[in-house]
Amino acid sequence: MWQQADSTALVEQEAQSVPTTARQHKQLTPAQVLSWLPKNATPEQQDSAIQAHIKPSEIHWSNEPDTLHLPGHPVGRSFRDVSLPKYYKESFFSKDSLFHPELQGGRPGVAGDPVPYTIAGDNLITSILLGCFILTMLAFSQSRRFIFRQTRNFFYVQHSDRPTALTETGGEMRFQIFLILQTCLLISLLYFFYSKAQLNDTFVIEQYQVIGIYTGSIAGYFLLKIILYSFINWVFFDRRRNIQWIHSCLFIGAMEGVLLFPAIMLLAFFNLSVSTISIYVIVVLALLKLLLFYKSYIIFFRKRAVFVQFFLYFCALEILPLLAIWGALVTMNGYLKINF
C-alpha cells in the first residue's frame, strides 16, 4: 500500500506538468505514464500508476461503409446481419484454429516418426519370458534327477517283450505339464514374430490377443495329438506300450520348449534375424521328430518287421497333424491381419 501511494504521488507530481487539455481530450498511453516515474521504480509502482491513470474505454465501431470490395461488385454485407444464410457466414476455414486465436490449435510443426515396435521394449512379453525363465529354473532344480532319468531311459532299448513303464510322481507330472504349456507359448511367440517380420505387421485385434489365439491353437494341437495317439494305440497295442509312448511324447514336448527358449531370447533381445531363427527352429523340430520316430519304432514295431505300416503310422499321427496346425495358423493369420 505504501508503494502504491508513493507511486501515485510521483505520478501526480509529474502529471502537473502535462497540459490540462491534453489530459482531457487524449487517452494517456502506458509509455507516458511510466515516463513520469523515476528509473528505479519497482514493477509494483509501475502497475499501480498505470491502473490509476489509464481506464478502459468503450469501443466504438466505425459506421463508415466498407470500401474493401472488388470494383464493379456490390458492397459485401456485414456478418452481423441475422438474415444472412449459414453458408454465407461459414466457410471451409471458418473453424480453423488459425482464424480463431482463442481456440487451441495444437502444437505447430510436423509430427515426427513414431518409435518403432521392438520385442525388447514390450513390457508384457519381456515379463512373460522372464517369468518362464525363473519358473523353469526353479522346476529344473527340483526335478533334475527326473530329467536325467527320463533322458537315460529314452535311449534305453528293452529286450523283453513286455516293456516297463516309468512311474512318475505328481510333482514330476506337473513339471512336464508346465513345460508343455511353456512350449505352446514359446511356439506361439515364434510364429507371432515370424508373422510380423515376413507376413504382415498389423492385426485387426490387439497383438496380445493374437498371441493368446496362437497359444490356444497350439495347445489344442498337442491335446488332439495325445488323444489320437491314445485311441490308436489302445486299439492296436497293449496298455503298457501305450503308457510308455505317452510318457515319451510328454518328455519330448517338454524338451521342445527348453530348446526353443534360447531362440526366443536371441530374437527378442539380440536382434537376431528371423531367417536364422527359422533355420534353428526347423533343425530342432526335425531332430525331435527323428527322436519320436526312433522311439515309436523301438516301442511298437521293433519286433514286427513291418516298416511300411510303421512309416504310415508315424506320418498319419505326427507329420499330418503338424502340417494341419501350420495350415490352420496360416489361415487364421489371414483373417487376423489387416488387408490394405
Side-chain angles (χ1 to χ4, degrees):
M1 295 297 294
W2 178 83
Q3 291 179 349
Q4 183 176 2
D6 185 26
S7 62
T8 305
L10 290 174
V11 172
E12 289 295 340
Q13 293 177 3
E14 295 292 339
Q16 298 298 327
S17 62
V18 179
T20 305
T21 57
R23 293 198 305 269
Q24 290 178 352
H25 300 286
K26 186 178 180 181
Q27 176 69 270
L28 297 175
T29 63
Q32 291 176 340
V33 176
L34 295 178
S35 65
W36 300 340
L37 298 177
K39 295 182 179 180
N40 59 353
T42 62
E44 291 79 7
Q45 293 176 343
Q46 296 175 358
D47 182 68
S48 61
I50 290 177
Q51 291 183 12
H53 291 84
I54 298 180
K55 303 297 181 182
S57 60
E58 184 180 358
I59 298 176
H60 298 282
W61 300 99
S62 175
N63 294 324
E64 297 296 329
D66 184 15
T67 57
L68 298 177
H69 60 274
L70 295 177
H73 291 266
V75 179
R77 301 172 63 181
S78 174
F79 70 93
R80 297 187 180 88
D81 189 354
V82 295
S83 62
L84 290 177
K86 188 175 182 180
Y87 66 84
Y88 193 92
K89 298 180 180 180
E90 295 185 359
S91 65
F92 180 78
F93 302 100
S94 60
K95 296 182 179 179
D96 196 327
S97 60
L98 297 178
F99 286 97
H100 298 275
E102 71 278 3
L103 299 178
Q104 183 65 28
R107 182 176 298 177
V110 180
D113 295 333
V115 178
Y117 173 81
T118 57
I119 303 170
D122 195 316
N123 295 330
L124 180 59
I125 295 181
T126 303
S127 302
I128 291 175
L129 295 177
L130 182 61
C132 289
F133 177 76
I134 295 175
L135 292 177
T136 302
M137 291 298 102
L138 292 176
F140 181 79
S141 64
Q142 300 294 328
S143 305
R144 59 180 180 272
R145 293 183 179 179
F146 166 74
I147 295 175
F148 295 149
R149 188 175 73 250
Q150 283 281 66
T151 304
R152 184 180 64 253
N153 289 307
F154 187 86
F155 296 97
Y156 175 70
V157 179
Q158 297 179 352
H159 298 283
S160 61
D161 294 336
R162 303 191 64 182
T164 58
L166 295 176
T167 59
E168 299 176 355
T169 63
E172 293 170 348
M173 183 60 67
R174 288 192 296 270
F175 168 67
Q176 290 189 96
I177 293 176
F178 165 72
L179 290 182
I180 289 292
L181 295 177
Q182 177 179 294
T183 301
C184 298
L185 177 60
L186 294 180
I187 294 177
S188 65
L189 287 175
L190 282 174
Y191 186 75
F192 173 73
F193 300 152
Y194 169 79
S195 298
K196 289 184 67 66
Q198 302 295 334
L199 302 179
N200 60 287
D201 194 32
T202 53
F203 298 90
V204 296
I205 58 178
E206 293 292 334
Q207 58 185 9
Y208 305 124
Q209 298 177 358
V210 174
I211 296 174
I213 293 174
Y214 290 162
T215 304
S217 302
I218 297 172
Y221 156 75
F222 276 100
L223 181 61
L224 180 61
K225 191 172 69 169
I226 291 296
I227 293 175
L228 289 177
Y229 269 124
S230 300
F231 177 75
I232 298 298
N233 294 339
W234 173 75
V235 173
F236 294 100
F237 306 104
D238 58 75
R239 180 174 177 272
R240 287 179 177 272
R241 296 179 187 274
N242 191 8
I243 294 177
Q244 187 181 5
W245 172 248
I246 293 300
H247 288 175
S248 300
C249 286
L250 290 177
F251 179 71
I252 289 295
M255 292 302 102
E256 183 178 353
V258 175
L259 294 176
L260 292 179
F261 190 78
I264 292 286
M265 300 299 289
L266 291 174
L267 184 62
F269 301 106
F270 294 93
N271 295 326
L272 200 63
S273 63
V274 177
S275 59
T276 305
I277 294 297
S278 301
I279 295 174
Y280 172 79
V281 172
I282 292 174
V283 170
V284 169
L285 292 179
L287 177 62
L288 294 178
K289 297 305 178 186
L290 287 176
L291 291 177
L292 285 177
F293 186 85
Y294 161 78
K295 195 63 179 179
S296 61
Y297 176 77
I298 292 299
I299 295 176
F300 299 120
F301 299 96
R302 182 167 58 93
K303 293 187 178 182
R304 296 176 182 268
V306 283
F307 184 77
V308 176
Q309 289 85 341
F310 161 63
F311 186 77
L312 293 176
Y313 166 84
F314 186 80
C315 290
L317 297 180
E318 193 64 37
I319 304 302
L320 288 181
L322 183 62
L323 297 177
I325 187 61
W326 176 261
L329 290 176
V330 171
T331 304
M332 191 183 307
N333 198 46
Y335 285 103
L336 293 177
K337 72 177 183 180
I338 296 178
N339 298 312
F340 295 98

